[in-house]
Amino acid sequence: MRIIDSHAHLDDPQFDHDREYLFTEMASMGIEMAIIPGISPPFWPKQLEVAKQYACPYALGIHPWFCGNSLATDVQQLNELLALKVNDPQLVAIGECGLDKIKKANWAQQELALEQQLIIAKQLNLPVILHVVKAHNEILTILKRHALPKAGVIHGFYGSIEVANEYIKLGYKLGIGGLILNSNAKKLKQCVSQLPLNSFIIETDSPAMVPQNSAESRNTPLILQRIISEIANLQKKSSVLISEHAFRNTVQLFDLKLILI
């Protein structure tokens, strides 16, 4: 199976002591690469360094948790960095950006940052990686105002089939991650069992989103085969078929053809 982790923060300090070993293990399991999302200006230099060292595609953006009083300056820095990287084939998306109602103290900044990053994505003809927590209605309203030619992905999707279909109608893929392995994720499992094969990609959000009952304190791309197996079980299809479609969907969404050659 050919596998891509469509969302993994492998630049995180939790990987500093064994990042080389992890990439070796990933390769042995058929995991060809991981897309590393951006979260805010202080983290971009290391993110770019890791992406270059391990030939990973990356996205640049401002995560909703990091939208603060310096937002105007942060957006300016984002535009300046994108101007430098616009012809880099490893730059494949804008994000991670979005809305998170658990962190409502900076809600106004979150909305402003999201709108500005959607405008940037349209200008650069790039997809977006969207972080959406308890804010599907708000995000859907905004996305309908900002039609992006390449749409993007709803990262860490956890919702009903009705909500999933609303995103699919707008051209978005759903990022299915380790939550699908949790025994209490009944709504997500029901949703995934009904998804069209062209509508989802797989991810881990490493080192976050550790599945329940995991012996590990951090998440890694090494759980991707388990995610594929669970999706296959829910859809009553083979793991090979699920992996093939997830791989193809990821390559098409992020235009990874040049990187994979």
Side-chain angles (χ1 to χ4, degrees), residues 90-131:
Q90 287 179 263
L91 172 65
V92 297
I94 300 300
E96 156 181 14
C97 56
L99 297 175
D100 191 328
K101 275 192 178 176
I102 293 177
K103 306 278 186 178
K104 285 193 72 172
N106 66 340
W107 185 257
Q109 290 100 325
Q110 287 188 39
E111 289 186 308
L112 180 59
L114 173 60
E115 295 254 12
Q116 292 183 341
Q117 289 176 92
L118 290 172
I119 291 168
I120 292 169
K122 186 170 186 177
Q123 290 172 340
L124 297 181
N125 195 29
L126 288 172
V128 289
I129 297 173
L130 291 172
H131 172 110

Side-chain angles (χ1 to χ4, degrees), residues 6-7 35 93-94 97 127-132 143 150-157 167 171-176 199-203 253-254:
S6 66
H7 193 114
I35 297 174
I94 300 300
C97 56
V128 289
I129 297 173
L130 291 172
H131 172 110
V132 188
L143 294 183
K150 293 192 175 179
V153 57
I154 310 304
H155 145 62
F157 180 75
Y167 287 120
Y172 285 79
K173 306 294 185 191
L174 307 173
I176 307 301
S199 67
F200 60 84
I201 59 181
I202 57 172
E203 59 165 77
L253 174 61
F254 295 109

Side-chain angles (χ1 to χ4, degrees), residues 136 157-165 174 187-188 190-191 195:
H136 291 304
F157 180 75
Y158 193 98
S160 67
I161 188 62
E162 291 78 17
V163 172
N165 284 333
L174 307 173
K187 180 171 67 174
L188 179 60
Q190 179 65 22
C191 173
L195 289 177

Side-chain angles (χ1 to χ4, degrees), residues 129-257:
I129 297 173
L130 291 172
H131 172 110
V132 188
V133 177
K134 299 185 182 299
H136 291 304
N137 290 336
E138 292 85 352
I139 284 274
L140 283 164
T141 299
I142 292 171
L143 294 183
K144 288 171 184 176
R145 292 204 307 266
H146 294 272
L148 302 185
K150 293 192 175 179
V153 57
I154 310 304
H155 145 62
F157 180 75
Y158 193 98
S160 67
I161 188 62
E162 291 78 17
V163 172
N165 284 333
E166 288 299 307
Y167 287 120
I168 293 168
K169 286 177 190 174
L170 295 175
Y172 285 79
K173 306 294 185 191
L174 307 173
I176 307 301
L179 293 176
I180 197 71
L181 302 175
N182 296 344
S183 59
N184 63 352
K186 294 179 181 178
K187 180 171 67 174
L188 179 60
K189 290 176 186 286
Q190 179 65 22
C191 173
V192 168
S193 72
Q194 302 174 66
L195 289 177
L197 288 171
N198 66 350
S199 67
F200 60 84
I201 59 181
I202 57 172
E203 59 165 77
T204 63
D205 199 21
S206 301
M209 288 196 186
V210 181
Q212 291 174 348
N213 303 318
S214 173
E216 301 293 329
S217 60
R218 65 176 188 179
N219 199 4
T220 79
L222 302 182
I223 70 165
L224 286 169
Q225 288 188 355
R226 291 175 57 202
I227 292 171
I228 290 168
S229 295
E230 180 63 17
I231 296 172
N233 178 59
L234 292 167
Q235 294 232 340
K236 296 180 170 55
K237 296 180 173 68
S238 72
S239 292
V240 170
L241 181 65
I242 296 300
S243 68
E244 286 176 349
H245 278 273
F247 183 86
R248 185 182 309 135
N249 294 341
T250 307
V251 170
Q252 291 174 346
L253 174 61
F254 295 109
D255 198 15
L256 302 178
K257 296 182 288 294

